[in-house]
Structure formats: structure tokens, C-alpha cells
Amino acid sequence: MAIREKLSGNEAVAVAMKQIEPDVVAAFPITPSTEVPQYFSQFVANGQVDTEFVAVESEHSAMSACIGSQAAGGRTMTATSSNGMALMWEMLYIASSLRLPIVMALVNRALSGPINIHNDHSDSMGARDSGWIQLYSETNQEAYDNFIQAVRIGEHTDVLLPVMVCYDGFITSHAVENIEILEDGEVKDFVGEYEPLHYLLDRERAISLGALDLPSIYFEHKRGQAQAMINAKQVILDVAAEYERLTGRRYGLFEEYMLSDAEVAVVVLNSTAGTTKAVVDKLRSRGIKAGLLKPRVFRPFPYDEIREALGHVKGIAVLDKAEGFSGAGGPLFTEVGSALQGIANVEMTSYIYGLGGRDVTVDHIESVFMDLKDRLADGKGNKITYLGIHE
Amino acid sequence: MAYRFKDTSKIPERLSGGHRMCAGCGAPVTVRTVLRAIEPEHRAVISSATGCLEVSTCIYPYTSWHDSFIHSAFENAAATISGVEAAYEALKRRGKIDEEVKFIAFGGDGGTYDIGLQSLSGAMERGHKITYVCYDNEAYMNTGIQRSSSTPLYANTTTSPAGQQRFGKVQFKKDLTMIMAAHDIPYVAQSAPYRNMKDLYEKSKKAIYTDGPAFLNVLSPCPRGWRYDTPKLMEIIGLAIDSCVWPLYEVEGGKFRLTHRPKEKVPVREYLKMQGRFSHLFNGENEEHIEEIQKIVDSRWERLLELCEES
Ligand SMILES: Cc1ncc(C[n+]2csc(CCOP(=O)(O)OP(=O)(O)O)c2C)c(N)n1
Ligand code: SF4
Ligand SMILES: [Mg+2]
């Protein structure tokens, strides 16, 4: 039975955490993710969960403790943002290479410097090659739903990879929305018991983890890790199908909004997809065939499926809330570009927007669609546009 | 029961031989002695920082460790084992585990005094039931003998080389054992694997069976970095102890206790003389530097005696 609740994104994720009731949560405060461990430690203090909460002295130690705990055989979670994730960097790669399905709430915030507490995606985009599955969430509801599904995805024996659930700092983390949550028992049944294959506390068998790999084997281990990421795509879909049966809410690799007959489309992650939907509706009412593709899964990147979904669109603007410093467009742009390689007659353009929390309005998004239309008419336009920048 | 090496040496090894640490290295002697203090019927989970010990004892697909073992990085053996212990507490509470498991982290001086100090301090402050053992060889040996904050004054290392103007490391050795004692954790000790291993064995036993965090700082010489002949391991350790360069003591519930008082204090030069890393002090022109080291050793020793109420 679904329960309707008014929750902020952080509350929703903390509630999901409570309902999952992992063995260990290890976390360190940083705006805007701080509330997650705060709410959670209150659940611990009230005896609402019997999770071991480890208030570590840094994010490096948060991820290190998560690694120790998950390796020991405990289901383990954390939450962080921005510089917190940057401090975990070294350990992110080690968590994924040890094939530990830790789940992290990554509340997107601009990475220093300059220091800035507001939302963009420079933190998670920088970690895109760390071997973590990345799920993005437009709304509080999606953050909640993704967080619960993340457990099943990561722990699947075809996968065994850590998962980060990304949602926008303040915009999603702090804004309160009406969402539907599951009953505790439904969540418990959905995630099930954690049954690790190999773990340090196994009484039957001692294991060694984190061995030195010489050149004769390192490559094979990395290949195995790459395969796990490839396998994750199907698992993500299977878990989503099961979740849909439970909740009626449908999830895939990405969401298409008015895309099937679109002439011009925007590709954008997280909360800005909501703004874009409003613009699409407005433009459609004016007879403009506008559409949206909102990736949910950025790692593994659904190249084939995105190619299929966007193949017919004539003008595509990919909006990145991160500057990848490639000199050739944002990270999402370059991924979508390679998904579409070889398709003739598509105009693609990169927009960098909203860095450090710069507001992005419906007018901005509308201008993107109008520029796309002009571009289709005269073939002219920028390769990269900094949307809403004060020039 | 009184300690007898004849008995403890019969306790089954938990670190297999055949690992790749150098002959004459103190670290594996330290590790084996510490692990012998775990009751044979108890299981343990061990974490290690990156360093000589880790890269030599766990090379895929081999492991020397009989207990479950985890290495994750250089600066976080304490944080990693704290996560393992947290999972154990949770699983025990949930009835998924009921046996006694001991948690031990090993780190070199680099991984403990320097890059891992924060992680160590955090784990100790949080009160995890873990024993952290620093095998102190006074430099970053694994990367080729670079200085650490544990490297003693005037030791020659590859990043504190003796030259025309400088005489090795220009700073003192950090006193980590005192720093850990200041954490007010239940048990802190300074030891070394020496003679019949009694001191280290008994301190390890106390540390591992303390209800709460414990820290052991164990001098573990490195023949490559210190430049001594491999058979001289025990002699070097003996001189470190008897010259009071490395006093043996423990701090239990805040109370300092000397566990060995040299019958006769050996001059530091005897200890320094045996090691190539100090050879530049013995060219006839640098006598005052040896004197300077002697003074520092004396003053630290006096301070320790006061703390132990022995003076
Ligand atoms: C973050 C990080 N920085 C540097 C290194 C390189 N490194 C590996 S082991 C080591 C030195 C280890 O010294 P110590 O802890 O004293 O152990 P020892 O090798 O002397 O036994 C260094 C610098 C690393 N692995 N990780
Ligand atoms: S280099 Fe030194 S510390 Fe490392 S294994 Fe050899 S003797 Fe031991
Ligand atoms: Mg060392």
C-alpha cells in the first residue's frame, strides 16, 4: 500500500535508507547531503533502525569504512557531495575494483574551486570513470525509487558494483514534494537479505582482498569489472520491471518525453528535465515538435538505446551542468555524440549551463529549442554555448 | 601462567612463510608475534596499509594470511578495519554471527605517523574494538627509503640525504606513541620483537583482549633502509632498547609503566654505529651531531621516567 508523504529529497532518501535498514552507514557531513546522515543518525538514536552508524572523521575514511564493512559482509551505505566525493576519489576506484555493492546518495554540488555550495554535476561527472553505476534522479520520488533499486542492482551477482544515486543539491535535496513511499515491509521484501558470495567474516572460509596485481593479471581483473558494468544494463531493466510491478512507477535507462516524433530535442539530466518538460509542453502547444531525453543511467551509458531513441531527431542540444574541460563540449554531450556517430543529418550542439547553481529558467530552455530550430533552418550555430552566462 | 617462548613458539602461525619480505626484516617477526597472541580458537580479520608488508604478503593469487585479510589503500588501514568491525557489530546484533572475532590493522610508519594519522586518530576516538599495530621501520621503505616523520634525526634517507651541507634528516622523530597515549584509549604500548618476544607477545595479548581500541608501536628494523647485516636484527633491536632510543613501556587506562629498564644505559653511538644510515656521522668531523642525538634521547628518557614515576 503506497503511503503519500511530503518529503524533501534528502528526507526521502533517508527514509529509503531507514526502510532498507542496512548493516552499516558511514558518513561525513557536507552541504547539501548532510541531512541524510543527520536524519539517519536520529533514526539510530530513536531505535528505529539497528544499523551501525559510523560518524567518521573524513569522507576518505567514510568510503574506507564502507569498503571494510561491505567486504566484511555488511550491507553498507553513505551519502556525500562535491568535495566530500572528491576526497573519496581514491577509494571510489578501490570500492568498484573490489566489487563491493556499496550504495551512495550523491547530492550533486559544484566542485571547488572556487568553493560553492550550489548545484551542478561536476562532482559525479568527475567520477564517471570510477567504475560506479550512476543513476540520476529528476525528482524526490525518483531519488527515493532509485535508492531502493540501487541495492538490488549493485548486489546482483552479474554486477557486484557500487551504485551512486545522484540528485540535485537544494533543488531536489531540500525542496519538499508530495511523493509516494512504500511500506517498510515492502521495501524489506524488495531488497531482501544481503547474501554476499565472498566476505571477510565468513566463518567457513578466510579470504584475502586487495592483493597486489602484477601485469599478468591486472588487465583480466579490469576486464571482469568492465563486463560487470556491461551486464548492469539488463539488471537495471529487470530490477525496474520488478519495481514497476510493486509501485506502478516505470523506470528505464532513460525517459523519453514527446520524443518519438520530435524534430528538436534536449538531452539533460536531473531536475532541469522537469523545467524542460514544461517548455516542451509550451512549444508543442505552438506546433513545434520539441522533445526531451532524460538519461537515468549514465554508467553504464546506454549507447545503443540512445542512438535508437534519438536517431530520427534533426536537432539535438545536449545540456551539461558540468564543464569537462575537454574543449569540445560537456561530458554528456561527448557521450551522446559518440552514441550517434555515423548518423547523417543530425545537428548536435553542446550547452554548458547552471554551473555553481546559476539559475536556469524556462526562458533559457526555450531559447535552446529556438536556437535549434534556427540552426536547422540556416545550418549556423555555436558548437558550445554557455547558457545564461554574463558575457 | 608465566611466559615461555618454548610454549608460545608452538602456537600455529597465522602468517605463512614464503612471503617476499627481505631476509633480516623486522616486520614479519613483529606480525607473527602479534598474531600469536590471538587465542587459537578465535578468528581475526586483518587489514594492512600499503607498504612493504602488504605488497610482499598478498600477491595475487597468493596470500600469506591465514585469517581474512583486507588491503584497500595506504592511509586508511584504521578506517578500513573500523568498517569491518562496525559490520561485525551489526551482524552480531542481528544474530548472523555469534563467535568472537578480533580486528587488527597493520601499518608502516609512513602509513601511520604520516598519511594515515588522521584515519588512525579517528578510528581510535570512535572507540572501535580494534588493535592498530604500527611496524615502525623509520622510513618509506616500499618506495625506496624516503624519510617519514618517524625517521630519526640525522638518518640518511633518499629524501633526507646526507650531503655537503646537511647531515641527513634535519628534524626529530615524531613521538607517535605519546600522541596515541593522549587519545586516552584503553591501551597504548611501545614494544619491539626482542629476545624471547615476551614484551611484544604480552603487550599484543593485552591490546587484542582490551575492550576497546588499542595501539601498539613496534620498532621493526629494515636492513635495507638502515643498512645493517641481516643477521644483526636482534642485536640492533637490543641496542635500540638499551640505549633508550626505543624504550619499552605501556599506558593502560592512562597509567604509564616502564616494562623494561636497561641495567646499564648504552651510549647511543653504539646503536648508531651499527647502521649505514648514520655512517656519515662517524667520519670524525660530525661528533657533535652524535652528542646532539644523545641529548635528545636522554631528555625523552627522563620525561618518560617521570611519566612512569620511576625517576
Ligand atoms: C596515496 C598514496 N600515496 C603514495 C603511495 C606510494 N606508497 C606506497 S607504500 C609507500 C611507503 C610506505 O611506507 P611505510 O608506511 O613506512 O611502510 P614500509 O614500506 O616502510 O613498510 C608509499 C609512499 C600510495 N600507495 N598511496
Ligand atoms: S625493504 Fe626493509 S621493510 Fe621492506 S621488506 Fe625489505 S627489509 Fe623489510
Ligand atoms: Mg616504513
Side-chain angles (χ1 to χ4, degrees):
Chain A
M1 254 282 290
I3 309 162
R4 289 198 72 80
E5 281 266 28
K6 273 198 184 67
L7 297 173
S8 73
N10 280 342
E11 265 179 303
V13 166
V15 167
M17 233 183 223
K18 179 180 79 162
Q19 295 180 310
I20 295 162
E21 209 177 352
D23 297 300
V24 174
V25 170
F28 190 83
I30 182 166
T31 304
S33 64
T34 312
E35 288 182 336
V36 176
Q38 271 177 4
Y39 287 123
F40 196 80
S41 49
Q42 192 66 53
F43 298 143
V44 173
N46 295 347
Q48 291 165 280
V49 291
D50 70 356
T51 301
E52 198 66 21
F53 177 70
V54 189
V56 279
E57 85 298 334
S58 73
E59 289 87 352
H60 194 284
S61 287
M63 191 41 61
S64 302
C66 285
I67 287 170
S69 163
Q70 191 89 35
R75 184 178 269 157
T76 308
M77 299 182 162
T78 189
T80 193
S81 296
S82 180
N83 294 39
M85 161 168 283
L87 191 56
M88 288 180 181
W89 224 261
E90 179 193 27
M91 304 318 297
L92 294 177
Y93 283 76
I94 292 167
S96 60
S97 85
L98 290 174
R99 309 290 299 275
L100 299 172
I102 298 159
V103 174
M104 177 201 295
L106 193 266
V107 188
N108 289 111
R109 159 179 159 181
L111 205 51
S112 295
I115 188 167
N116 172 298
I117 61 164
H118 298 282
N119 168 245
D120 72 31
H121 302 155
S122 47
D123 48 8
S124 58
M125 279 299 151
R128 67 189 183 275
D129 296 339
S130 63
W132 283 60
I133 291 169
Q134 289 192 336
L135 305 179
Y136 285 80
S137 327
E138 178 189 331
T139 60
N140 302 9
Q141 183 74 61
E142 290 186 11
Y144 173 84
D145 292 340
N146 279 338
F147 203 80
I148 292 168
Q149 292 175 67
V151 176
R152 289 281 303 278
I153 296 165
E155 289 176 10
H156 194 285
T157 51
D158 291 348
V159 179
L160 296 178
L161 288 176
V163 186
M164 69 178 77
V165 174
C166 309
Y167 53 99
D168 286 343
F170 294 113
I171 302 165
T172 309
S173 67
H174 284 61
V176 174
E177 287 182 340
N178 272 316
I179 72 164
E180 272 186 15
I181 64 168
L182 292 162
E183 293 193 32
D184 293 357
E186 290 175 315
V187 175
K188 290 246 155 52
D189 289 345
F190 185 80
V191 297
E193 288 283 315
Y194 177 44
E195 272 158 21
L197 293 175
H198 311 286
Y199 58 108
L200 297 168
L201 289 170
D202 187 349
R203 74 155 76 223
E204 305 301 328
R205 198 165 57 124
I207 61 166
S208 280
L209 283 178
L212 173 71
D213 265 16
L214 298 176
S216 56
I217 194 66
Y218 180 91
F219 199 0
E220 284 68 25
H221 283 157
K222 285 292 151 188
R223 175 67 186 87
Q225 209 185 317
Q227 190 59 45
M229 191 56 95
I230 294 166
N231 297 347
K233 201 159 74 175
Q234 189 56 47
V235 172
I236 290 167
L237 291 172
D238 294 345
V239 170
E242 204 181 312
Y243 196 73
E244 186 182 353
R245 287 196 287 279
L246 179 65
T247 62
R249 290 189 291 279
R250 170 168 239 150
Y251 287 93
L253 302 170
F254 46 82
E255 182 186 342
E256 295 171 63
Y257 189 75
M258 301 287 193
L259 195 63
S260 59
D261 66 340
E263 215 172 43
V264 283
V266 158
V267 181
V268 70
L269 295 164
N270 277 8
S271 65
T272 309
T275 318
T276 307
K277 285 174 188 169
V279 176
V280 167
D281 291 345
K282 187 169 157 195
L283 296 179
R284 286 272 170 176
S285 73
R286 285 172 18 204
I288 296 169
K289 287 189 171 163
L292 161 74
L293 186 142
K294 177 189 80 179
R296 170 182 179 236
V297 182
F298 187 76
R299 282 291 179 268
F301 195 81
Y303 289 94
D304 296 339
E305 296 79 359
I306 283 187
R307 182 184 177 87
E308 181 77 28
L310 287 177
H312 67 282
V313 182
K314 298 221 161 45
I316 300 168
V318 183
L319 274 57
D320 272 283
K321 216 170 189 177
E323 169 54 89
F325 300 109
S326 71
L332 182 59
F333 172 76
T334 52
E335 298 283 3
V336 174
S338 52
L340 296 180
Q341 73 179 298
I343 295 183
N345 295 331
V346 58
E347 284 286 335
M348 257 193 82
T349 180
S350 169
Y351 282 83
I352 310 290
Y353 76 102
L355 300 193
R358 176 66 53 82
D359 200 16
V360 181
T361 65
V362 286
D363 291 343
H364 286 120
I365 304 292
E366 192 173 332
S367 77
V368 171
F369 279 109
M370 298 329 271
D371 287 351
L372 272 180
K373 289 220 37 115
D374 292 348
R375 189 186 193 98
L376 290 181
D378 62 15
K380 288 197 207 118
N382 300 335
K383 185 161 162 52
I384 307 170
T385 308
Y386 289 86
L387 188 64
I389 199 158
H390 308 315
E391 300 273 13
Chain B
M1 204 173 68
Y3 176 89
R4 288 203 325 177
F5 187 53
K6 235 169 73 188
D7 301 332
T8 57
S9 63
K10 289 195 198 112
I11 299 170
E13 292 283 353
R14 287 170 179 251
L15 182 79
S16 284
H19 55 67
R20 302 204 185 168
M21 302 202 78
C22 306
C25 176
V29 186
T30 294
V31 172
R32 285 163 53 217
T33 307
V34 170
L35 296 184
R36 258 192 224 115
I38 307 168
E39 297 295 336
E41 67 272 22
H42 288 158
R43 282 203 302 135
V45 179
I46 291 152
S47 82
S48 170
T50 313
C52 272
L53 176 67
E54 181 272 328
V55 302
S56 309
T57 56
C58 192
I59 306 177
Y60 189 87
Y62 304 106
T63 184
S64 299
W65 303 88
H66 290 226
D67 296 286
S68 274
F69 171 83
I70 181 167
H71 156 255
S72 71
F74 182 19
E75 63 282 56
N76 63 352
T80 304
I81 203 74
S82 79
V84 175
E85 188 258 6
Y88 169 76
E89 290 297 324
L91 295 174
K92 205 162 73 171
R93 207 157 49 227
R94 291 176 173 185
K96 291 189 179 174
I97 226 171
D98 54 8
E99 54 183 327
E100 181 91 6
V101 185
K102 297 294 168 190
F103 302 95
I104 301 169
F106 289 100
D109 49 295
T112 309
Y113 285 68
D114 288 343
I115 198 167
L117 183 60
Q118 169 187 314
S119 158
L120 169 64
S121 176
M124 293 283 132
E125 183 271 337
R126 292 194 297 275
H128 297 278
K129 290 181 194 140
I130 59 180
T131 299
Y132 190 103
V133 183
C134 175
Y135 68 97
D136 186 356
N137 54 29
E138 303 190 321
Y140 303 159
M141 297 310 178
N142 185 45
T143 39
I145 321 170
Q146 291 84 28
R147 60 90 83 189
S148 75
S149 61
S150 164
T151 303
L153 183 66
Y154 298 136
N156 189 351
T157 75
T158 56
T159 51
S160 63
Q164 309 297 324
Q165 301 282 331
R166 289 194 179 180
F167 308 94
K169 191 185 167 194
V170 296
Q171 299 87 0
F172 307 154
K173 180 182 170 92
K174 183 193 277 181
D175 196 339
L176 181 65
T177 312
M178 287 292 176
I179 294 172
M180 297 321 296
H183 280 66
D184 261 339
I185 51 176
Y187 190 72
V188 171
Q190 187 160 291
S191 184
Y194 187 51
R195 286 208 180 115
N196 65 357
M197 308 290 155
K198 178 174 190 285
D199 191 82
L200 180 55
Y201 176 85
E202 289 182 343
K203 286 172 179 168
S204 301
K205 187 129 235 139
K206 273 191 189 170
I208 295 166
Y209 287 90
T210 285
D211 191 24
F215 175 80
L216 296 177
N217 202 2
V218 188
L219 192 72
S220 309
C222 159
R224 291 183 48 78
W226 295 20
R227 290 193 276 135
Y228 61 84
D229 286 343
T230 53
K232 302 228 158 115
L233 174 64
M234 285 299 135
E235 210 178 316
I236 294 250
I237 295 175
L239 284 170
I241 296 168
D242 287 334
S243 63
C244 302
V245 163
W246 191 257
L248 306 181
Y249 67 99
E250 63 185 6
V251 190
E252 211 172 349
K255 184 131 183 56
F256 281 73
R257 191 174 78 84
L258 212 56
T259 55
H260 170 81
R261 185 158 192 163
K263 283 197 191 71
E264 209 170 319
K265 210 165 141 214
V266 177
V268 222
R269 65 160 46 241
E270 301 303 314
Y271 170 65
L272 304 178
K273 202 168 62 185
M274 287 187 69
Q275 306 172 49
R277 62 176 173 158
F278 295 110
S279 62
H280 56 290
L281 302 183
F282 290 90
N283 63 2
E285 293 165 20
N286 293 317
E287 286 294 317
E288 82 263 26
H289 295 120
I290 300 175
E291 267 318 295
E292 195 185 343
I293 296 172
Q294 183 69 59
K295 280 198 186 111
I296 293 166
V297 168
D298 289 347
S299 91
R300 286 191 178 189
W301 172 246
E302 290 305 322
R303 199 174 60 195
L304 180 66
L305 290 182
E306 271 174 38
L307 286 166
C308 297
E309 293 170 1
E310 290 243 1
S311 47

